[in-house]
Amino acid sequence: MATTAPAEAGTVTAPARPRRASAQGWISRWLPALPLLVVIGGLLLAPALLLVVQSFVGTNGLTLDLWTRVLSSELNQQAILTSVVLGVACATIATIVGAPMAWLISRMFAKSRAGWLALLNVAANFGGIGLAFAYIAVLGTQGMITLGLQGLGIGFVPPRPSSFIGLLAAYSYTNIPLFVLLTIPAMGILRSEWWEAAQTASATRWQFWRMIGIPVLSPFIAGGWLLIFTWSIGIYGIAYGLAGGGGAAAISLITLQIGNILGTDVFGAGRAAVLAVLLMAMATASLIVYRWLLRRALRWL
Amino acid sequence: MTTARVAPAPIARPRERRIGTRLFFLVAAIYFILPLVAVLIFTFAGRWTANILPDSYTLDWWKQAIGNPELVGSFSTSIVLATGTAILDILFVVPAAYWARVRNRRLRPIIELGAAIPFCLPYIVIAFGILQLSGIVVPGLQGTFLLLMLGHTAIAFPFVYWAVDAAMSAAGVERLSEAAEACGATPFQIVRRVIVPNITPGLVTGSILAFATSFGEFAMAQVVGRGLRTVPIWSAEALRSYISAPGTFNQLAVITFITFALLFVLSAIIVYWNRNQTLRLLPGAAAVAETERG
Amino acid sequence: MSSGVSLQDVRKSFGSVHALDGVSLEIESGELIALLGPSGCGKTTLLRSVAGLEQPDGGRILIGDRDVTGVPTRERPIGMVFQSYALFPNMTVRQNIAFPLTVRKRPTAEIKARSDEMLELVNLVPQAARYPNQISGGQAQRAALGRALAPAPDVLLLDEPLSALDALVRTRLRDEIRRVQQLVKTTAIYVTHDQSEAMAIADRVAVMNHGRVEQIAAPPELYETPATQFSATFVGSRNALELPVRDGRVSLGEAFSVPAPAGSSRAVVFFRPEDVEVGLNGVGLPATVEFKIFLGATSRLHLVTDSDGQEARFYADLPSRRAVALVPGARVSVRVEPTDVRAFPAGG
């Protein structure tokens, strides 16, 4: 608030700006953002909280009943375990393939870099049912590679789309590009002068990477791993396309279970809520670790 | 803190290393393009036995697809839905992002918390939550186009926010606003005449990302948009039915390929608009640092 | 152990740009030679060629007796200081300094002793355990110097080491670098675009332009007798006037008259502001003071004269005490000692 200077004799002081009524000030500070805040609050925050509440609501008030029922079911335990293992496998593959790729692409010249970025963008966004279909088109029983190899006389039996390997292969199609796109900006952190300085100090390439490159980049790579893990445990579309039909040998995942319950069981909302909150907890923990990692990485930079 | 700019360093590499790199990227290129090629071939495939290529080709599937009212209907539904999502997101995000920078610093952590939710929560979970909440609060909206569009707006907004926020940072909107205010402009005028023209890359990138997210989204469409047919919904049905209705499978190839072509064009646009800077999908180090410092 | 450096007809082109156009230079063991010139003159390319970070298209580079022309950077006996310090962010100052020894797998005791020695040498003992983002620019550059000298290289290479620093820090660090270099007697090649910096610390200065060395001389000689027009304009602040040649002489009225250089109808003359004698006694060419700029110990007068119907403008530097009475509009007379005037053919 503007303070008035003590008036000196003969001088004219500007009138102090009138204090806004606090309600009016409050509105002007928040109004333009209100639509977005309503969307965030009503369509993201509130539903999440509602699910948490619903997972604890039984017939007679708050209870852990739903949690015990859900977690003791063998089917659900299988689903949880498979989801986590699949998430870890996906994240690891995406990191092993994606990290060198991100490094190499970040070093490319503008034109080829742009070309690769466009390709990766498409692949990262090409998920859901479309990707499930594309997988079947390539490696299904009538898929292109399958028929091609059989035509060459190789008795190729492709992995079933709904199997762990099938999902892993399909998920990786979007996960690897996603990892690369997420970590390419971090690659720019390694300045070329550091490599030159290391050379003038007689370090080999491997010594540079071991002592400088990897330590500086590893928080970001680890962050990428975490993000892919979080993303993978929550994938629904691809999984539904490949394994959603059910069937005896189909894989079970938390997301598929939720979808299943919602589709078939009118009274299953509570159990689905438990599974949903479980996913939420895992993802939130993952994100907290991610923030911590980044903060640690920044202490040097 | 300097922004991470990618500087290609043309270091002379020994020949073996360059060949290894080339091979790696060749394999990667094949891996990424193969499914799309396979889908494309499926759209033209006639009889196909044990061979890498079909025995015969036909345009039938394309004709059937275009003549299939359900397919065409789902395509137009998706287009309208995705466009609406993109528009709504821009309309909601731009004022909020601008205000957070220029007038009310406390908005920033709130928006960022909100932006973290679609990354934390799988879309199926959010969809489920919206289903339950709408049942309690606005049962009349359940299963409507509007609700699904709002849901998509919510889950796509982080992409739009990061793109627009980065563009605002690059354009220095705080200084621009101060200069415009000194010239006597109202906030609305400032946004319209000064801010928006200077953040075009962010607007383009953001709206395309919102569009792409909505177009390919399945979980929410299935759970919240019950009864609505989007491309992913139609595709899922087609996938289930491919034993009983073989032709549907190839039509599915057609729509999948069209989706891919659409995505490719959109991605090319994004990369073109961002060619002078590093494309960020997520906040990344710089923005986290900015937030920490407040 | 220090060595001399020999550059023999070094050439380097980037596309159609000749960054180095046949540079030959003999640098003596233990001397600090400055490569001075404007952006794009090739000085940095030359330094990086000695380092091995650029590969010349032609010519040879020898460090001591050894031909290092094709040898990778890693195997050259050099230490390098970069403009942006290039300290490794994940290592402390001590670890940075010790890095060249660590990668050579020296025994731990030796590493500790040597890094202690370097920390003392560059006055960074209290900062030994700090990280690069916790120290100032001047401290960072000293750490970079310590790292470069830790393996006792034959040649020390410095790429505009002071450009990223504040003006005040710059002078102090410049003297630090010179002190350290004299102490360890390592041959040093120092790239800069700042001519006062080059002349303050170098044993010899090589002025470069368009990929060629225009002149190599000790600073005083360079300052007094520039060999080419480029050197004259680049080193020291000078007045430059283009004047007609008459009867083999070029003159500015009664201010000065000197023999003209052969073969041209017009000449460019250079003379330093501090060599302009300004008097009120009418001896010399009449001139008017346009304005005066106070620079502390000296003041600079902007003078305008009329000679042969042509206006000439130039500066004169005087001790401020003597310039007190010389206000804008004052009429004075100027002359310059002929030996202080250098003439070159115009258009050269």
Side-chain angles (χ1 to χ4, degrees):
Chain A
M1 282 300 115
T3 52
T4 45
E8 296 183 39
T11 57
V12 179
T13 46
R17 283 185 46 197
R19 290 193 116 233
R20 289 210 190 94
S22 42
Q24 192 185 354
W26 186 92
I27 289 180
S28 80
R29 278 206 311 278
W30 294 90
L31 188 59
L34 224 41
L36 184 64
L37 293 177
V38 167
V39 165
I40 294 178
L43 289 156
L44 293 177
L45 212 49
L49 291 174
L50 179 63
L51 288 179
V52 174
V53 167
Q54 280 192 331
S55 70
F56 291 109
V57 165
T59 38
N60 305 314
L62 293 181
T63 165
L64 281 179
D65 221 25
L66 289 166
W67 281 85
T68 42
R69 269 211 298 165
V70 166
L71 291 177
S72 59
S73 139
E74 242 195 65
L75 180 62
N76 289 327
Q77 286 169 357
Q78 188 65 31
I80 295 171
L81 183 65
T82 316
S83 290
V84 172
V85 173
L86 184 61
V88 169
C90 282
T92 310
I93 288 181
T95 306
I96 293 178
V97 177
M101 194 184 267
W103 170 255
L104 291 171
I105 293 182
S106 72
R107 298 281 120 173
M108 277 184 187
F109 293 105
K111 285 218 190 83
S112 23
R113 198 163 79 234
W116 273 101
L117 284 180
L119 187 59
L120 291 174
N121 242 303
V122 175
N125 275 306
F126 188 54
I129 305 292
L131 180 60
F133 170 69
Y135 177 88
I136 293 176
V138 175
L139 286 175
T141 45
Q142 309 291 320
M144 191 167 104
I145 298 279
T146 314
L147 292 179
L149 289 176
Q150 284 173 355
L152 288 176
I154 306 172
F156 177 64
V157 177
R160 257 176 312 109
S162 58
S163 65
F164 187 89
I165 299 286
L167 252 64
L168 189 58
Y171 278 33
S172 295
Y173 189 85
T174 41
N175 282 342
I176 295 174
L178 196 59
F179 182 91
V180 173
L181 290 175
L182 289 174
T183 50
I184 277 185
M187 295 294 165
I189 284 176
L190 270 196
R191 309 223 302 263
S192 50
E193 294 126 14
W194 291 337
W195 168 230
E196 290 183 347
Q199 279 181 286
T200 62
S202 294
T204 63
R205 216 174 254 274
W206 169 236
Q207 280 172 323
F208 169 74
W209 278 107
R210 186 168 59 90
M211 300 173 73
I212 297 156
I214 292 179
V216 169
L217 284 183
S218 56
F220 302 100
I221 306 283
W225 189 100
L226 275 174
L227 288 175
I228 300 294
F229 172 77
T230 312
W231 184 250
S232 298
I233 56 177
I235 289 183
Y236 180 66
I238 306 174
Y240 184 85
L242 292 174
I251 201 173
S252 71
L253 298 173
I254 302 179
T255 51
L256 287 178
Q257 277 296 94
I258 296 176
N260 239 330
I261 296 174
L262 289 181
T264 58
D265 189 340
V266 178
F267 296 107
R271 287 184 291 125
V274 170
L275 290 173
V277 173
L278 200 58
L279 271 181
M280 261 194 258
M282 285 199 283
T284 311
S286 198
L287 210 71
I288 292 177
V289 176
Y290 174 74
R291 292 285 293 234
W292 174 81
L293 267 178
L294 277 200
R295 230 174 326 185
R296 242 179 53 116
L298 292 177
R299 83 201 136 113
W300 285 334
L301 297 165
Chain B
M1 168 153 179
T2 54
T3 42
R5 260 187 50 225
V6 176
I11 308 172
R13 294 202 176 89
R15 184 162 294 148
E16 317 80 50
R17 178 183 302 264
R18 264 185 285 138
I19 291 182
T21 309
R22 290 244 165 111
L23 203 61
F24 175 70
F25 278 107
L26 189 62
V27 171
I30 293 178
Y31 172 72
F32 285 122
I33 299 182
L34 193 63
L36 310 164
V37 167
V39 170
L40 181 60
I41 294 181
F42 252 96
T43 62
F44 292 117
R47 231 174 72 84
W48 199 345
T49 51
N51 261 312
I52 190 128
L53 287 176
D55 302 332
S56 65
Y57 294 91
T58 168
L59 280 177
D60 277 350
W61 313 124
W62 284 87
K63 292 194 214 140
Q64 278 187 17
I66 296 176
N68 183 343
E70 287 182 354
L71 179 55
V72 173
S74 67
F75 187 75
S76 56
T77 306
S78 281
I79 294 274
V80 175
L81 185 63
T83 311
T85 303
I87 294 177
L88 278 187
D89 263 324
I90 295 285
L91 285 179
F92 291 168
V93 168
V94 170
Y98 174 66
W99 220 241
R101 276 192 172 268
V102 166
R103 214 52 91 78
N104 187 350
R105 293 291 140 98
R106 284 195 293 157
L107 269 174
R108 199 182 172 88
I110 299 177
I111 298 181
E112 301 208 342
L113 176 66
I117 295 183
F119 284 119
C120 258
L121 308 193
Y123 295 166
I124 179 93
V125 169
I126 301 177
F128 180 28
I130 293 180
L131 182 69
Q132 297 291 88
L133 188 63
S134 60
I136 297 173
V137 175
V138 280
L141 276 185
Q142 283 198 318
T144 62
F145 190 84
L146 178 63
L147 188 62
L148 180 56
M149 192 161 74
L150 286 175
H152 277 183
T153 306
I155 59 179
F157 109 82
F159 296 119
V160 183
Y161 175 70
W162 292 124
V164 167
D165 187 61
M168 285 187 174
S169 172
V173 292
E174 294 91 335
R175 284 184 305 282
L176 290 177
S177 291
E178 287 177 351
E181 257 187 286
C183 294
T186 67
F188 188 70
Q189 283 174 324
I190 298 178
V191 171
R192 192 163 74 95
R193 291 176 182 280
V194 174
I195 304 301
V196 166
N198 279 295
I199 56 171
T200 318
L203 293 176
V204 171
T205 306
S207 46
I208 288 183
L209 289 174
F211 183 94
T213 306
S214 163
F215 196 86
E217 201 280 331
F218 177 66
M220 195 166 286
Q222 187 188 50
V223 171
V224 173
R226 285 200 276 228
L228 286 170
R229 275 258 193 73
T230 63
V231 168
I233 298 280
W234 187 92
S235 302
E237 289 175 2
L239 209 51
R240 296 276 139 258
S241 73
Y242 91 98
I243 298 176
S244 52
T248 326
F249 202 64
N250 298 77
Q251 289 181 39
L252 178 52
V254 171
I255 193 71
T256 306
F257 183 75
I258 292 179
T259 308
F260 152 69
L262 188 60
L263 271 183
F264 186 80
V265 169
L266 294 178
S267 300
I269 297 178
I270 290 184
V271 173
Y272 173 74
W273 275 100
N274 284 284
R275 61 191 182 284
N276 293 325
Q277 66 225 30
T278 322
L279 176 61
R280 296 178 185 285
L281 285 189
L282 267 205
V288 172
E290 223 182 286
T291 320
E292 301 296 317
R293 282 189 239 116
Chain C
M1 243 353 72
S2 187
S3 317
V5 177
S6 176
L7 296 157
Q8 298 169 359
D9 198 35
V10 178
R11 298 173 179 284
K12 175 79 181 172
S13 301
F14 294 106
S16 56
V17 176
H18 295 303
L20 295 175
D21 207 0
V23 173
S24 297
L25 198 51
E26 296 292 325
I27 303 171
E28 291 175 22
S29 170
E31 90 170 306
L32 192 160
I33 188 166
L35 301 179
L36 175 67
S39 304
C41 69
K43 56 191 192 300
T44 301
T45 311
L46 191 61
L47 188 80
R48 289 169 65 88
S49 301
V50 177
L53 297 170
E54 303 281 357
Q55 294 304 320
D57 300 325
R60 294 206 307 161
I61 301 176
L62 288 87
I63 298 183
D65 292 324
R66 187 177 159 204
D67 187 339
V68 295
T69 313
V71 174
T73 306
R74 191 178 355 113
E75 295 169 31
R76 301 191 189 196
I78 57 173
M80 188 156 172
V81 176
F82 294 81
Q83 185 176 345
S84 63
Y85 333 136
L87 292 177
F88 306 128
N90 58 317
M91 297 184 185
T92 62
V93 167
R94 175 187 286 277
Q95 288 168 333
N96 263 284
I97 291 179
F99 184 76
L101 306 166
T102 315
V103 300
R104 285 174 171 84
K105 307 212 171 74
R106 313 302 303 161
T108 317
E110 181 185 328
I111 296 182
K112 172 128 198 342
R114 183 70 174 159
S115 47
D116 282 340
E117 197 183 325
M118 287 295 111
L119 285 165
E120 284 263 5
L121 182 66
V122 298
N123 283 322
L124 278 180
V125 174
Q127 282 80 21
R130 298 243 184 101
Y131 283 90
N133 66 348
Q134 295 170 320
I135 58 180
S136 70
Q139 291 167 333
Q141 202 57 297
R142 281 188 273 147
L145 185 62
R147 179 177 67 185
L149 290 173
D154 288 349
V155 185
L156 177 65
L157 304 170
L158 304 113
D159 187 3
E160 303 210 43
L162 306 181
S163 300
L165 301 170
D166 294 334
L168 195 58
V169 182
R170 215 178 285 176
T171 351
R172 266 189 281 145
L173 197 57
R174 178 195 71 194
D175 298 336
E176 266 295 291
I177 292 177
R178 178 58 159 169
R179 176 188 71 86
V180 169
Q181 187 263 339
Q182 300 254 271
L183 211 60
V184 298
K185 296 199 184 44
T186 308
T187 313
I189 306 179
Y190 187 109
V191 163
T192 178
H193 61 267
D194 184 334
Q195 44 103 2
S196 61
E197 192 175 299
M199 297 210 283
I201 67 170
D203 293 313
R204 285 194 296 162
V205 178
V207 180
M208 291 185 67
N209 191 26
H210 292 318
R212 286 205 202 87
V213 176
E214 296 244 340
Q215 180 179 5
I216 314 172
E221 186 190 325
L222 187 66
Y223 189 70
E224 294 289 335
T225 46
T228 67
Q229 186 170 340
F230 178 76
S231 305
T233 46
F234 200 77
V235 179
S237 83
R238 277 170 217 279
N239 291 306
L241 294 175
E242 189 172 316
L243 298 170
V245 172
R246 288 212 195 86
D247 304 322
R249 298 190 70 83
V250 59
S251 38
L252 183 67
E254 293 110 342
F256 59 80
S257 173
V258 294
S264 196
S265 60
R266 292 183 73 77
V268 180
V269 299
F270 294 96
F271 52 98
R272 288 198 304 270
E274 66 257 31
D275 290 333
V276 177
E277 296 166 14
V278 177
L280 295 164
N281 54 8
V283 176
L285 178 69
T288 313
V289 176
E290 271 196 314
F291 43 92
K292 179 172 72 173
I293 298 181
F294 179 71
L295 296 168
T298 57
S299 289
R300 174 163 288 184
L301 301 176
H302 288 229
L303 299 167
V304 55
T305 68
D306 189 321
S307 160
D308 301 319
Q310 275 213 314
E311 263 191 0
R313 281 190 164 76
F314 50 91
Y315 313 129
D317 284 349
L318 304 180
S320 296
R321 278 173 285 123
R322 281 195 47 213
V324 167
L326 300 175
V327 292
R331 304 270 313 162
V332 297
S333 49
V334 296
R335 69 175 291 275
V336 186
E337 200 66 37
T339 48
D340 291 331
V341 179
R342 317 240 341 129
F344 296 95

